[in-house]
Amino acid sequence: SGTNVIAQNDTINIGKVPAGARVLFVVVDQSASAGASVTLAITGNDGSARTFVSAYDATAPNVIKPSEYTTALAIETTLVGTLEAANPTDDVSYEFAVFYSLPNS
């Protein structure tokens, strides 16, 4: 098996959140530190430049981050993680759990 090369500003498609949902928090589980000075930000790709989690220090491998944007989403939105600020460590795997609420129907 080869090396999983990761570069600064690489993105990770985390998953889709349905319209009407309010993102509450995101759990990030990394297999190791992303590397010195590396940050991770979580945004939405719905055309609004919406930030759910501002760039934070990704040297800690496991974190729970509250969402900064908790308004109900107007459309289905894919959450995207972006590795920023420095060149990340290769071969680090990332798992995300997104917790959100939906209105009663």
Side-chain angles (χ1 to χ4, degrees):
S1 82
T3 299
N4 181 21
V5 178
I6 304 170
Q8 183 176 350
N9 297 321
D10 274 0
T11 59
I12 303 165
N13 284 329
I14 297 170
K16 293 181 180 181
V17 179
R22 296 174 189 270
V23 176
L24 304 174
F25 59 94
V26 180
V27 177
V28 183
D29 181 21
Q30 297 168 213
S31 62
S33 170
S37 301
V38 175
T39 61
L40 176 66
I42 300 173
T43 57
N45 74 344
D46 62 354
S48 68
R50 188 165 286 125
T51 298
F52 293 93
V53 177
S54 292
Y56 69 91
D57 179 357
T59 57
N62 302 300
V63 297
I64 299 172
K65 300 302 266 181
S67 179
E68 298 163 23
Y69 185 87
T70 57
T71 301
L73 299 172
I75 62 171
E76 180 181 79
T77 300
T78 299
L79 298 189
V80 177
T82 304
L83 295 160
E84 304 172 334
N87 191 33
T89 303
D90 293 337
D91 286 333
V92 175
S93 62
Y94 299 85
E95 293 182 9
F96 299 87
V98 179
F99 290 79
Y100 59 85
S101 65
L102 287 170
N104 291 333
S105 47

Coordinates of all heavy atoms in Angstrom, one line a residue:
S1 N 0.8 -1.2 0.0 CA 0.0 0.0 0.0 C 0.9 1.2 0.0 O 2.0 1.2 0.5 CB -1.0 0.0 1.2 OG -0.4 0.4 2.4
G2 N 0.4 2.3 -0.6 CA 1.2 3.5 -0.7 C 0.9 4.5 0.4 O 0.2 4.3 1.3
T3 N 1.6 5.6 0.2 CA 1.5 6.7 1.2 C 0.3 7.6 0.8 O 0.2 7.9 -0.4 CB 2.8 7.6 1.2 OG1 3.8 6.7 1.6 CG2 2.7 8.7 2.1
N4 N -0.5 8.0 1.7 CA -1.6 9.0 1.5 C -1.0 10.4 1.7 O -0.9 10.8 2.8 CB -2.7 8.7 2.5 CG -3.9 9.6 2.2 OD1 -4.1 10.2 1.1 ND2 -4.7 9.8 3.2
V5 N -0.7 11.0 0.6 CA 0.0 12.3 0.7 C -1.1 13.4 0.8 O -2.1 13.5 0.1 CB 0.8 12.6 -0.6 CG1 1.4 14.0 -0.6 CG2 1.9 11.5 -0.8
I6 N -0.9 14.2 1.8 CA -1.9 15.3 2.1 C -1.1 16.6 2.1 O 0.0 16.8 2.6 CB -2.5 15.1 3.6 CG1 -3.1 13.8 3.7 CG2 -3.5 16.2 3.9 CD1 -3.5 13.4 5.1
A7 N -1.7 17.6 1.4 CA -1.1 18.9 1.3 C -1.9 20.0 1.9 O -3.1 19.9 2.2 CB -0.9 19.2 -0.2
Q8 N -1.2 21.1 2.2 CA -1.9 22.3 2.7 C -3.0 22.7 1.8 O -2.9 22.7 0.6 CB -0.9 23.5 2.9 CG -1.5 24.7 3.5 CD -0.4 25.8 3.7 OE1 0.8 25.6 3.6 NE2 -0.9 27.0 4.1
N9 N -4.2 23.1 2.4 CA -5.4 23.5 1.7 C -6.1 22.3 1.1 O -7.1 22.6 0.3 CB -5.1 24.6 0.7 CG -4.6 25.9 1.4 OD1 -5.1 26.2 2.5 ND2 -3.7 26.5 0.8
D10 N -5.7 21.1 1.3 CA -6.5 19.9 0.8 C -7.8 19.9 1.6 O -7.9 20.4 2.7 CB -5.8 18.6 1.1 CG -4.8 18.2 0.0 OD1 -4.7 19.0 -1.0 OD2 -4.2 17.2 0.1
T11 N -8.9 19.4 0.9 CA -10.2 19.4 1.5 C -10.7 18.0 1.7 O -10.2 17.1 1.0 CB -11.2 20.2 0.7 OG1 -11.3 19.6 -0.6 CG2 -10.9 21.6 0.6
I12 N -11.6 17.8 2.7 CA -12.1 16.5 3.0 C -13.7 16.7 2.9 O -14.2 17.5 3.7 CB -11.7 16.0 4.4 CG1 -10.2 15.9 4.5 CG2 -12.4 14.7 4.7 CD1 -9.7 15.8 5.9
N13 N -14.4 16.0 2.1 CA -15.8 16.0 2.1 C -16.3 15.2 3.2 O -16.1 14.0 3.3 CB -16.4 15.5 0.8 CG -16.3 16.5 -0.4 OD1 -16.3 17.7 -0.1 ND2 -16.1 16.0 -1.6
I14 N -16.9 15.8 4.2 CA -17.3 15.2 5.4 C -18.7 14.4 5.3 O -18.8 13.3 5.7 CB -17.4 16.2 6.6 CG1 -16.0 16.8 6.8 CG2 -18.0 15.6 7.8 CD1 -16.0 18.0 7.8
G15 N -19.6 15.1 4.7 CA -20.9 14.4 4.5 C -22.0 15.5 4.3 O -21.8 16.7 4.5
K16 N -23.2 15.0 3.9 CA -24.3 15.9 3.6 C -25.2 16.0 4.8 O -25.5 15.1 5.5 CB -25.1 15.4 2.4 CG -24.4 15.4 1.1 CD -25.2 14.9 0.0 CE -24.4 15.0 -1.3 NZ -25.2 14.6 -2.4
V17 N -25.7 17.3 5.1 CA -26.6 17.6 6.1 C -27.9 18.1 5.4 O -27.9 18.9 4.5 CB -26.1 18.7 7.1 CG1 -27.1 19.0 8.2 CG2 -24.7 18.2 7.7
P18 N -29.1 17.5 5.8 CA -30.3 17.8 5.1 C -30.8 19.3 5.3 O -30.5 19.9 6.4 CB -31.3 16.8 5.6 CG -30.8 16.4 7.0 CD -29.3 16.5 6.9
A19 N -31.6 19.8 4.4 CA -32.2 21.1 4.5 C -33.1 21.0 5.8 O -33.7 20.0 6.1 CB -33.1 21.4 3.3
G20 N -33.1 22.2 6.5 CA -33.9 22.3 7.7 C -33.1 21.9 9.0 O -33.5 22.2 10.1
A21 N -31.9 21.2 8.8 CA -31.1 20.8 10.0 C -30.4 22.0 10.6 O -30.0 22.9 9.9 CB -30.2 19.7 9.5
R22 N -30.1 21.9 11.9 CA -29.3 22.8 12.6 C -28.1 22.0 13.1 O -28.3 21.1 13.9 CB -30.0 23.4 13.8 CG -31.2 24.2 13.4 CD -32.0 24.7 14.7 NE -33.2 25.3 14.4 CZ -33.4 26.6 14.2 NH1 -32.4 27.4 14.3 NH2 -34.6 27.1 13.9
V23 N -26.9 22.3 12.6 CA -25.7 21.6 13.0 C -25.4 22.0 14.5 O -25.2 23.2 14.8 CB -24.5 21.9 12.1 CG1 -23.3 21.2 12.6 CG2 -24.9 21.4 10.7
L24 N -25.2 21.0 15.4 CA -25.0 21.3 16.8 C -23.5 21.2 17.1 O -22.9 22.1 17.8 CB -25.8 20.3 17.6 CG -27.3 20.3 17.4 CD1 -27.9 19.2 18.2 CD2 -27.9 21.7 17.7
F25 N -22.8 20.1 16.7 CA -21.4 20.0 16.9 C -20.8 18.9 16.0 O -21.6 18.2 15.4 CB -21.0 19.7 18.4 CG -21.6 18.5 19.0 CD1 -20.9 17.3 19.0 CD2 -22.9 18.5 19.6 CE1 -21.5 16.2 19.6 CE2 -23.4 17.4 20.1 CZ -22.7 16.2 20.1
V26 N -19.5 19.0 15.9 CA -18.8 18.0 15.1 C -17.7 17.3 15.9 O -17.0 18.0 16.6 CB -18.1 18.7 13.9 CG1 -17.4 17.7 13.0 CG2 -19.2 19.5 13.0
V27 N -17.6 16.0 15.8 CA -16.6 15.2 16.4 C -15.6 14.9 15.4 O -15.9 14.4 14.3 CB -17.1 13.9 17.1 CG1 -16.0 13.1 17.7 CG2 -18.2 14.3 18.1
V28 N -14.3 15.2 15.6 CA -13.2 14.9 14.7 C -12.3 13.9 15.4 O -11.7 14.1 16.4 CB -12.4 16.1 14.3 CG1 -11.3 15.8 13.3 CG2 -13.3 17.2 13.8
D29 N -12.1 12.7 14.7 CA -11.2 11.7 15.2 C -10.1 11.5 14.2 O -10.4 11.1 13.1 CB -12.0 10.4 15.4 CG -11.2 9.2 15.9 OD1 -10.1 9.5 16.5 OD2 -11.6 8.1 15.7
Q30 N -8.9 11.8 14.6 CA -7.7 11.7 13.7 C -6.9 10.5 14.2 O -6.8 10.3 15.4 CB -6.9 13.0 13.8 CG -7.6 14.2 13.3 CD -6.8 15.5 13.6 OE1 -7.5 16.5 13.8 NE2 -5.5 15.5 13.6
S31 N -6.2 9.8 13.3 CA -5.4 8.7 13.7 C -4.1 9.2 14.4 O -3.4 8.4 15.1 CB -5.1 7.8 12.5 OG -4.4 8.6 11.5
A32 N -3.7 10.5 14.2 CA -2.5 11.1 14.7 C -2.6 12.6 14.6 O -3.6 13.1 14.0 CB -1.3 10.6 14.0
S33 N -1.7 13.3 15.1 CA -1.6 14.7 15.0 C -1.5 15.1 13.5 O -0.8 14.4 12.7 CB -0.4 15.3 15.7 OG -0.2 16.7 15.4
A34 N -2.1 16.1 13.1 CA -2.0 16.6 11.7 C -0.7 17.2 11.4 O -0.4 17.5 10.2 CB -3.2 17.5 11.3
G35 N 0.1 17.6 12.4 CA 1.4 18.2 12.3 C 1.4 19.6 12.9 O 0.4 20.2 13.1
A36 N 2.6 20.0 13.1 CA 2.8 21.3 13.8 C 2.2 22.4 12.9 O 2.4 22.5 11.7 CB 4.3 21.6 13.9
S37 N 1.5 23.3 13.6 CA 0.9 24.5 13.0 C -0.3 24.2 12.0 O -0.8 25.2 11.4 CB 2.0 25.4 12.3 OG 3.0 25.8 13.2
V38 N -0.7 23.0 11.9 CA -1.8 22.7 10.9 C -3.1 23.0 11.6 O -3.3 22.7 12.8 CB -1.8 21.2 10.5 CG1 -3.0 20.9 9.7 CG2 -0.5 20.9 9.8
T39 N -4.0 23.6 10.9 CA -5.3 23.9 11.4 C -6.4 23.2 10.5 O -6.1 22.9 9.4 CB -5.7 25.4 11.4 OG1 -5.6 26.0 10.1 CG2 -4.7 26.2 12.3
L40 N -7.6 23.0 11.1 CA -8.7 22.4 10.3 C -9.9 23.3 10.5 O -10.2 23.7 11.6 CB -8.9 21.0 10.9 CG -10.1 20.3 10.3 CD1 -9.9 19.9 8.8 CD2 -10.4 19.0 11.1
A41 N -10.5 23.6 9.4 CA -11.7 24.4 9.4 C -12.8 23.6 8.8 O -12.6 22.8 7.9 CB -11.6 25.7 8.7
I42 N -14.1 23.8 9.2 CA -15.2 23.1 8.6 C -16.2 24.1 8.2 O -16.7 24.9 8.9 CB -15.8 22.1 9.7 CG1 -14.8 21.1 10.1 CG2 -17.1 21.4 9.1 CD1 -15.2 20.2 11.2
T43 N -16.5 24.0 6.8 CA -17.4 25.0 6.2 C -18.5 24.2 5.4 O -18.4 23.0 5.3 CB -16.6 25.9 5.2 OG1 -15.9 25.1 4.3 CG2 -15.6 26.8 6.0
G44 N -19.4 24.9 4.9 CA -20.5 24.3 4.0 C -20.3 24.7 2.6 O -19.7 25.8 2.3
N45 N -20.7 23.9 1.7 CA -20.5 24.2 0.2 C -21.8 24.6 -0.4 O -22.0 24.3 -1.6 CB -19.8 23.0 -0.5 CG -20.8 21.9 -0.7 OD1 -21.9 21.8 -0.1 ND2 -20.5 21.0 -1.6
D46 N -22.7 25.2 0.3 CA -24.0 25.6 -0.3 C -23.9 27.0 -0.9 O -25.0 27.5 -1.2 CB -25.0 25.6 0.8 CG -24.7 26.6 1.9 OD1 -23.7 27.2 1.9 OD2 -25.6 26.7 2.8
G47 N -22.7 27.5 -1.2 CA -22.6 28.8 -1.8 C -22.7 30.0 -0.9 O -22.6 31.1 -1.3
S48 N -22.8 29.8 0.4 CA -22.9 30.9 1.4 C -21.6 31.2 2.1 O -21.6 32.1 2.9 CB -23.9 30.5 2.4 OG -23.5 29.4 3.2
A49 N -20.5 30.4 1.9 CA -19.3 30.6 2.7 C -19.5 30.5 4.2 O -18.9 31.1 5.0 CB -18.6 31.9 2.3
R50 N -20.5 29.6 4.5 CA -20.9 29.4 5.9 C -19.8 28.6 6.7 O -19.3 27.6 6.2 CB -22.2 28.7 5.9 CG -22.8 28.5 7.3 CD -24.3 28.1 7.1 NE -25.0 29.2 6.6 CZ -25.8 29.2 5.5 NH1 -25.9 28.1 4.8 NH2 -26.5 30.2 5.2
T51 N -19.4 29.1 7.9 CA -18.4 28.4 8.7 C -19.1 27.8 9.8 O -19.8 28.4 10.6 CB -17.3 29.4 9.2 OG1 -16.7 30.0 8.1 CG2 -16.3 28.8 10.1
F52 N -18.9 26.5 10.0 CA -19.4 25.7 11.1 C -18.4 25.6 12.2 O -18.8 25.7 13.4 CB -19.9 24.3 10.7 CG -21.1 24.4 9.7 CD1 -20.9 24.4 8.4 CD2 -22.4 24.5 10.2 CE1 -22.0 24.5 7.5 CE2 -23.5 24.6 9.4 CZ -23.3 24.6 8.0
V53 N -17.2 25.4 11.9 CA -16.1 25.4 12.8 C -14.9 26.2 12.3 O -14.4 25.9 11.2 CB -15.6 24.0 13.2 CG1 -14.4 24.0 14.1 CG2 -16.8 23.1 13.7
S54 N -14.5 27.3 12.9 CA -13.4 28.1 12.5 C -12.1 27.3 12.6 O -12.1 26.3 13.4 CB -13.2 29.4 13.3 OG -14.3 30.2 13.1
A55 N -11.1 27.7 11.8 CA -9.8 26.9 11.9 C -9.3 26.8 13.3 O -9.2 27.8 14.0 CB -8.8 27.6 11.0
Y56 N -9.0 25.6 13.7 CA -8.5 25.3 15.0 C -7.2 24.5 14.9 O -7.0 23.8 13.9 CB -9.5 24.6 15.9 CG -9.8 23.2 15.5 CD1 -9.1 22.1 16.0 CD2 -10.8 22.9 14.6 CE1 -9.4 20.8 15.6 CE2 -11.1 21.6 14.2 CZ -10.3 20.6 14.7 OH -10.6 19.3 14.3
D57 N -6.4 24.5 15.9 CA -5.2 23.7 16.0 C -5.5 22.2 15.9 O -6.1 21.7 16.8 CB -4.5 24.1 17.3 CG -3.2 23.3 17.5 OD1 -2.8 22.5 16.6 OD2 -2.5 23.6 18.5
A58 N -5.0 21.6 14.8 CA -5.3 20.2 14.6 C -4.2 19.3 15.0 O -4.1 18.1 14.6 CB -5.6 20.0 13.1
T59 N -3.4 19.7 16.0 CA -2.3 18.9 16.5 C -2.9 17.9 17.5 O -2.4 16.8 17.7 CB -1.2 19.7 17.2 OG1 -1.8 20.5 18.2 CG2 -0.5 20.5 16.1
A60 N -4.0 18.2 18.1 CA -4.7 17.3 19.0 C -5.5 16.3 18.2 O -6.3 16.7 17.3 CB -5.6 18.0 20.0
P61 N -5.4 15.0 18.4 CA -6.0 14.0 17.5 C -7.5 13.8 17.6 O -8.1 13.4 16.7 CB -5.3 12.7 17.8 CG -4.6 12.9 19.1 CD -4.4 14.3 19.3
N62 N -8.1 14.1 18.7 CA -9.5 13.9 18.9 C -10.2 15.1 19.6 O -9.8 15.4 20.7 CB -9.8 12.6 19.7 CG -9.1 11.4 19.1 OD1 -9.4 11.1 17.9 ND2 -8.2 10.8 19.8
V63 N -11.2 15.7 18.9 CA -11.8 16.9 19.5 C -13.3 16.8 19.2 O -13.8 16.2 18.3 CB -11.2 18.2 18.9 CG1 -9.8 18.3 19.2 CG2 -11.4 18.3 17.4
I64 N -14.0 17.6 20.1 CA -15.5 17.9 19.9 C -15.6 19.4 19.7 O -15.2 20.1 20.6 CB -16.3 17.3 21.0 CG1 -16.2 15.8 21.2 CG2 -17.8 17.7 20.9 CD1 -16.8 15.3 22.4
K65 N -16.1 19.8 18.6 CA -16.2 21.3 18.3 C -17.7 21.7 18.2 O -18.4 21.1 17.3 CB -15.5 21.6 17.1 CG -14.0 21.3 17.1 CD -13.2 22.0 18.2 CE -12.6 23.3 17.9 NZ -11.9 23.9 19.0
P66 N -18.2 22.6 19.0 CA -19.5 23.1 18.8 C -19.6 23.9 17.5 O -18.7 24.5 17.1 CB -19.8 24.0 20.0 CG -18.4 24.4 20.4 CD -17.5 23.3 20.0
S67 N -20.8 23.8 16.9 CA -21.0 24.5 15.6 C -21.2 26.0 15.9 O -21.8 26.4 16.9 CB -22.3 24.0 14.9 OG -22.5 24.8 13.7
E68 N -20.5 26.8 15.1 CA -20.7 28.3 15.2 C -21.9 28.8 14.5 O -22.3 29.9 14.7 CB -19.4 29.0 14.7 CG -18.2 28.6 15.5 CD -16.9 28.9 14.8 OE1 -16.9 29.8 13.9 OE2 -15.9 28.2 15.1
Y69 N -22.4 28.0 13.6 CA -23.6 28.4 12.8 C -24.7 27.4 13.1 O -24.6 26.2 12.8 CB -23.3 28.4 11.3 CG -24.4 28.9 10.5 CD1 -24.6 30.2 10.2 CD2 -25.4 28.0 10.0 CE1 -25.6 30.7 9.5 CE2 -26.4 28.5 9.2 CZ -26.6 29.8 9.0 OH -27.6 30.3 8.3
T70 N -25.7 27.8 13.8 CA -26.8 26.9 14.2 C -28.2 27.2 13.7 O -29.2 26.7 14.1 CB -26.9 26.8 15.8 OG1 -27.1 28.2 16.3 CG2 -25.6 26.3 16.4
T71 N -28.2 28.1 12.7 CA -29.5 28.4 12.0 C -29.8 27.3 11.1 O -29.0 26.6 10.6 CB -29.3 29.7 11.2 OG1 -28.9 30.8 12.1 CG2 -30.6 30.1 10.5
A72 N -31.1 27.0 11.0 CA -31.6 25.9 10.1 C -31.1 26.2 8.7 O -31.2 27.3 8.1 CB -33.1 25.8 10.1
L73 N -30.6 25.1 8.1 CA -30.0 25.2 6.7 C -31.2 25.3 5.7 O -32.2 24.5 5.8 CB -29.2 24.0 6.4 CG -28.0 23.8 7.3 CD1 -27.3 22.5 7.0 CD2 -27.0 24.9 7.1
A74 N -31.1 26.2 4.7 CA -32.1 26.4 3.7 C -32.1 25.3 2.7 O -33.1 24.9 2.2 CB -31.9 27.7 3.0
I75 N -30.9 24.7 2.4 CA -30.8 23.6 1.4 C -29.9 22.6 2.0 O -29.1 22.8 2.9 CB -30.2 24.2 0.1 CG1 -28.8 24.7 0.2 CG2 -31.2 25.2 -0.6 CD1 -28.1 25.1 -1.1
E76 N -29.9 21.4 1.4 CA -29.0 20.3 1.7 C -27.5 20.9 1.5 O -27.2 21.5 0.5 CB -29.2 19.1 0.8 CG -28.2 18.0 1.2 CD -28.5 16.8 0.3 OE1 -28.0 16.8 -0.9 OE2 -29.1 15.8 0.7
T77 N -26.7 20.6 2.5 CA -25.3 21.2 2.5 C -24.3 20.1 2.8 O -24.4 19.3 3.7 CB -25.2 22.3 3.6 OG1 -26.2 23.3 3.3 CG2 -23.9 22.9 3.6
T78 N -23.2 20.1 2.0 CA -22.1 19.2 2.2 C -21.1 19.9 3.1 O -20.7 21.0 2.8 CB -21.4 18.8 0.9 OG1 -22.4 18.1 0.1 CG2 -20.2 17.9 1.2
L79 N -20.7 19.3 4.2 CA -19.7 19.9 5.1 C -18.3 19.5 4.6 O -18.1 18.3 4.1 CB -19.9 19.4 6.5 CG -21.2 19.8 7.2 CD1 -21.1 19.5 8.7 CD2 -21.5 21.3 7.1
V80 N -17.4 20.5 4.6 CA -16.1 20.3 4.0 C -15.1 20.7 5.1 O -15.2 21.8 5.6 CB -15.9 21.1 2.7 CG1 -14.5 20.9 2.2 CG2 -17.0 20.7 1.7
G81 N -14.1 19.8 5.3 CA -13.0 20.2 6.2 C -11.8 20.6 5.3 O -11.5 20.0 4.3
T82 N -11.1 21.7 5.7 CA -9.9 22.2 5.0 C -8.7 22.2 5.9 O -8.8 22.8 7.0 CB -10.2 23.6 4.4 OG1 -11.4 23.5 3.6 CG2 -9.0 24.1 3.6
L83 N -7.7 21.6 5.5 CA -6.4 21.6 6.3 C -5.6 22.8 5.9 O -5.2 22.9 4.7 CB -5.6 20.3 6.0 CG -6.4 19.0 6.6 CD1 -5.9 17.8 5.9 CD2 -6.3 18.9 8.1
E84 N -5.4 23.7 6.8 CA -4.8 25.0 6.5 C -3.5 25.3 7.3 O -3.2 24.5 8.2 CB -5.8 26.1 6.8 CG -7.1 25.9 6.1 CD -8.2 26.9 6.6 OE1 -8.1 27.4 7.7 OE2 -9.1 27.2 5.8
A85 N -2.9 26.4 7.0 CA -1.8 27.0 7.8 C -0.4 26.4 7.6 O 0.6 27.0 7.7 CB -2.1 27.2 9.2
A86 N -0.3 25.1 7.3 CA 1.0 24.4 7.2 C 0.7 23.1 6.4 O -0.4 22.7 6.2 CB 1.6 24.2 8.5
N87 N 1.8 22.5 6.0 CA 1.7 21.2 5.3 C 1.4 20.1 6.3 O 2.2 19.8 7.2 CB 3.0 20.9 4.6 CG 2.9 19.7 3.6 OD1 1.8 19.5 3.0 ND2 3.9 18.9 3.5
P88 N 0.2 19.4 6.2 CA -0.1 18.4 7.1 C 0.7 17.1 7.0 O 1.3 16.8 6.0 CB -1.6 18.0 6.7 CG -2.0 19.1 5.8 CD -0.8 19.7 5.2
T89 N 0.7 16.3 8.1 CA 1.4 15.0 8.1 C 0.7 14.1 7.2 O -0.5 14.0 7.2 CB 1.4 14.5 9.5 OG1 2.0 15.4 10.4 CG2 2.1 13.2 9.6
D90 N 1.5 13.3 6.4 CA 0.9 12.3 5.5 C 0.4 11.1 6.3 O 0.8 10.9 7.4 CB 1.9 11.8 4.5 CG 2.3 12.9 3.5 OD1 1.5 13.9 3.3 OD2 3.5 12.8 2.9
D91 N -0.5 10.4 5.7 CA -1.0 9.1 6.2 C -1.9 9.3 7.5 O -2.1 8.3 8.2 CB 0.1 8.1 6.5 CG 0.6 7.5 5.2 OD1 -0.2 7.4 4.2 OD2 1.7 7.1 5.1
V92 N -2.3 10.5 7.8 CA -3.3 10.7 8.9 C -4.7 10.4 8.4 O -5.0 11.0 7.4 CB -3.1 12.1 9.6 CG1 -4.2 12.3 10.6 CG2 -1.7 12.3 10.1
S93 N -5.4 9.6 9.1 CA -6.8 9.4 8.6 C -7.7 10.2 9.5 O -7.4 10.5 10.7 CB -7.2 7.9 8.7 OG -7.1 7.4 10.0
Y94 N -8.9 10.6 8.9 CA -9.8 11.5 9.6 C -11.2 10.9 9.6 O -11.6 10.4 8.5 CB -9.9 12.9 8.9 CG -8.6 13.6 9.0 CD1 -7.6 13.4 8.0 CD2 -8.3 14.5 10.0 CE1 -6.4 14.1 8.0 CE2 -7.1 15.2 10.0 CZ -6.1 14.9 9.0 OH -4.9 15.6 9.1
E95 N -11.9 10.9 10.7 CA -13.3 10.4 10.8 C -14.1 11.6 11.4 O -13.6 12.2 12.4 CB -13.4 9.2 11.6 CG -12.8 7.9 10.9 CD -13.0 6.7 11.7 OE1 -13.8 6.7 12.7 OE2 -12.4 5.7 11.3
F96 N -15.3 11.8 10.9 CA -16.1 12.9 11.4 C -17.5 12.4 11.8 O -18.0 11.5 11.1 CB -16.3 14.0 10.3 CG -15.0 14.6 9.9 CD1 -14.2 14.1 8.9 CD2 -14.5 15.8 10.5 CE1 -13.0 14.7 8.4 CE2 -13.4 16.4 10.1 CZ -12.6 15.8 9.1
A97 N -18.0 12.9 12.9 CA -19.4 12.6 13.2 C -20.1 14.0 13.4 O -19.6 14.8 14.1 CB -19.5 11.8 14.5
V98 N -21.1 14.2 12.6 CA -21.8 15.5 12.6 C -23.1 15.3 13.4 O -24.0 14.5 12.9 CB -22.0 16.0 11.2 CG1 -22.8 17.4 11.2 CG2 -20.7 16.2 10.5
F99 N -23.3 16.1 14.4 CA -24.6 16.0 15.2 C -25.5 17.2 14.8 O -25.0 18.3 14.9 CB -24.3 15.9 16.7 CG -23.7 14.6 17.1 CD1 -22.3 14.4 16.9 CD2 -24.4 13.6 17.7 CE1 -21.7 13.2 17.3 CE2 -23.8 12.4 18.0 CZ -22.5 12.2 17.8
Y100 N -26.7 16.9 14.4 CA -27.6 18.0 14.0 C -29.0 17.6 14.5 O -29.3 16.5 14.8 CB -27.6 18.2 12.5 CG -27.9 17.1 11.6 CD1 -29.2 16.8 11.3 CD2 -26.9 16.2 11.1 CE1 -29.6 15.7 10.5 CE2 -27.3 15.2 10.3 CZ -28.6 14.9 10.0 OH -28.9 13.8 9.2
S101 N -29.9 18.6 14.5 CA -31.3 18.4 14.9 C -32.1 18.8 13.7 O -31.7 19.6 12.9 CB -31.6 19.3 16.1 OG -31.6 20.7 15.8
L102 N -33.3 18.2 13.6 CA -34.3 18.5 12.6 C -35.6 18.9 13.3 O -35.9 18.3 14.4 CB -34.5 17.2 11.7 CG -33.4 16.9 10.7 CD1 -33.7 15.5 10.1 CD2 -33.3 17.9 9.6
P103 N -36.3 19.8 12.7 CA -37.6 20.1 13.3 C -38.6 19.0 13.2 O -38.5 18.1 12.4 CB -38.1 21.3 12.4 CG -37.4 21.1 11.1 CD -36.1 20.4 11.4
N104 N -39.5 19.0 14.2 CA -40.6 18.0 14.2 C -41.5 18.2 13.0 O -41.8 19.4 12.7 CB -41.4 18.0 15.5 CG -40.6 17.5 16.6 OD1 -39.7 16.7 16.5 ND2 -40.9 18.0 17.8
S105 N -41.9 17.2 12.3 CA -42.8 17.4 11.2 C -44.2 17.0 11.6 O -44.6 16.5 12.5 CB -42.4 16.5 10.0 OG -42.1 15.2 10.4

